[in-house]
Amino acid sequence: MNAGIHGVGRYVPEQVLTNYDLEKRMDTSDEWIRTRTGIEERRIAPDDIDTSHMAERAARIALDNAGVSGEDVDLIIVATVTPDQPFPSVSCQLQERLGATKAAAMDLSAACSGFMYGIVTASQFIQTGAYRHILVIGVEKLSKITNWEDRNTAVLFGDGAGAVVMGPVSEGKGILSYDLGSDGSGGKHLYQEGDLLYMNGREVFKFAVRQMGESCVNVIDKAGLTKDDIDFLVPHQANIRIMNAARERLNLSEEKMSKTIKKYGNTSAASIGISLAEEVEAGKIKDGDHIVLVGFGGGLTWGAICLKWGK
Ligand code: UT7
């Protein structure tokens, strides 16, 4: 049984925080942020919208888009490092709110690569025929763990949620290959201590440029395709310079890569799901297209997926 994506959904909070707003709060500039990262603004969730609320909104849209009801869902996987609380999990909160009476539920922690890990995990249950409808959500309320005193990190992150409904698809479609990996020795470059996030930007940057490119090439090879076959790239939206390095490795032109970073910043586990939903809505990803999704993040972790779009 081939596993693919039946529906997509996304949610970002309404409140916009621009680079100009940040200039008033810390020693930074719109020019620095834009040229070094590609970010112009990000969304920040208010106190009464926590991670599970954003996840629920994105999930409802994905279910509608797939024509699937909560009762039909067999498994809910939520990738996040900013759950409402350690337990009960965000996925269990969703199980109740979506009326997913027969669903199993688990949260998954792989930082910014979480959505890739979630999709690959879900695909195993579908390929074996065990489950037919699986909700995978990448969601973060990073503003909860952002150190607003640290200009090195505070300017980068935003809040949001991206979701997909996965299920069986016809032969030749869906997930063709994947590549997941980790390197715990790099954990010291990106971590949470107490309530705050810390990052050695330069080290993560070097790792990301190397690993994103390699992982993309790897999944294309494994799928038995060449770079020329790839129609669209949806990379983790961490830094436009990192994303462009991956795109250039695949010889893709600018319009063949998702760039939602400008509006939303780095939303960690949510970024690939949000971008995928936007590009599908905008008609940039069409039935039969070969697309590559790729992410990297704390852990360190990485993950890439090559798929043929459509049911
Ligand atoms: O989701 C996965 C997690 N993270 C990432 O993917 C992040 C990967 N890393 C990056 O994207 C980049 O390393 C950053 C955007 C974080 C930083 O860019 P950079 O080109 O590596 O800059 P840098 O850290 O080498 O800093 C250059 C200068 C420094 O000043 P000095 O030491 O040269 O005087 C920084 O203090 O820029 C300064 N700087 C800033 N200036 C204005 C750092 N942050 C800011 C800021 N505004 N917000």
Side-chain angles (χ1 to χ4, degrees):
M1 199 88 78
N2 286 19
I5 294 172
H6 286 207
V8 294
R10 71 189 165 93
Y11 172 78
V12 289
E14 274 170 33
Q15 193 197 324
V16 176
L17 183 68
T18 66
N19 291 348
Y20 297 105
D21 296 329
L22 287 171
E23 280 182 355
K24 293 178 203 141
R25 290 170 71 160
M26 61 189 75
D27 180 16
T28 190
S29 66
D30 168 62
E31 209 265 333
W32 191 95
I33 303 171
R34 225 172 351 93
T35 54
R36 307 306 289 171
T37 72
I39 301 166
E40 291 181 12
E41 53 189 49
R42 67 288 290 141
R43 302 298 179 96
I44 303 293
D47 289 346
D48 60 347
I49 297 189
D50 210 339
T51 301
S52 67
H53 304 111
M54 293 192 283
E56 180 186 343
R57 289 173 199 208
R60 286 189 189 281
I61 296 167
L63 285 170
D64 264 6
N65 188 240
V68 169
S69 76
E71 289 157 23
D72 295 328
V73 176
D74 299 302
L75 172 65
I76 303 170
I77 300 176
V78 173
T80 187
V81 293
T82 50
D84 299 22
Q85 65 275 312
F87 64 93
S89 60
V90 174
S91 49
C92 278
Q93 288 171 273
L94 292 199
Q95 182 276 329
E96 185 195 10
R97 292 186 210 156
L98 299 173
T101 45
K102 67 172 187 194
M106 63 169 161
D107 284 10
L108 185 156
S109 171
C112 307
S113 315
F115 195 62
M116 297 294 87
Y117 273 72
I119 289 183
V120 173
T121 303
S123 71
Q124 309 303 310
F125 289 103
I126 293 162
Q127 281 162 6
T128 56
Y131 292 146
R132 289 190 66 79
H133 300 107
I134 304 183
L135 245 179
V136 181
I137 301 143
V139 55
E140 301 291 359
K141 189 174 178 181
L142 288 169
S143 57
K144 286 197 288 197
I145 61 166
T146 298
N147 180 356
W148 294 103
E149 308 292 312
D150 176 16
R151 69 173 183 173
N152 290 293
T153 53
V155 302
L156 304 174
F157 301 111
D159 301 334
V164 290
V165 174
M166 296 190 59
V169 292
S170 51
E171 214 182 314
K173 293 217 168 147
I175 294 178
L176 306 175
S177 61
Y178 65 85
D179 173 47
L180 296 179
S182 66
D183 175 8
S185 73
K188 56 184 177 289
H189 300 314
L190 180 51
Y191 58 95
Q192 185 181 337
E193 191 168 278
D195 292 333
L196 296 176
L197 178 152
Y198 296 89
M199 180 173 72
N200 179 340
R202 270 180 221 187
E203 285 302 323
V204 177
F205 190 96
K206 282 190 278 178
F207 154 75
V209 167
R210 188 183 67 244
Q211 198 54 55
M212 287 251 269
E214 266 175 42
S215 234
C216 287
V217 170
N218 199 349
V219 287
I220 294 169
D221 278 355
K222 280 190 192 172
L225 300 174
T226 68
K227 291 175 187 176
D228 292 343
D229 296 316
I230 303 306
D231 298 296
F232 207 79
L233 174 67
V234 184
H236 170 44
Q237 310 280 307
N239 184 316
I240 192 72
R241 292 182 288 145
I242 298 173
M243 293 156 55
N244 278 335
R247 178 176 64 72
E248 282 159 19
R249 183 101 185 246
L250 302 188
N251 305 327
L252 284 174
S253 58
E254 269 200 56
E255 61 282 5
K256 291 192 166 184
M257 177 177 79
S258 183
K259 283 167 285 189
T260 60
I261 187 169
K262 189 171 153 182
K263 297 185 289 181
Y264 307 134
N266 178 349
T267 57
S268 186
S271 92
I272 297 175
I274 291 173
S275 301
L276 183 66
E278 283 215 6
E279 303 303 352
V280 172
E281 268 170 43
K284 298 256 187 72
I285 294 174
K286 300 175 295 295
D287 197 52
D289 280 354
H290 285 118
I291 68 170
V292 172
L293 313 177
V294 61
F296 66 91
L300 300 169
T301 54
W302 62 89
I305 295 168
C306 181
L307 59 99
K308 187 166 182 171
W309 194 253
K311 296 193 209 173

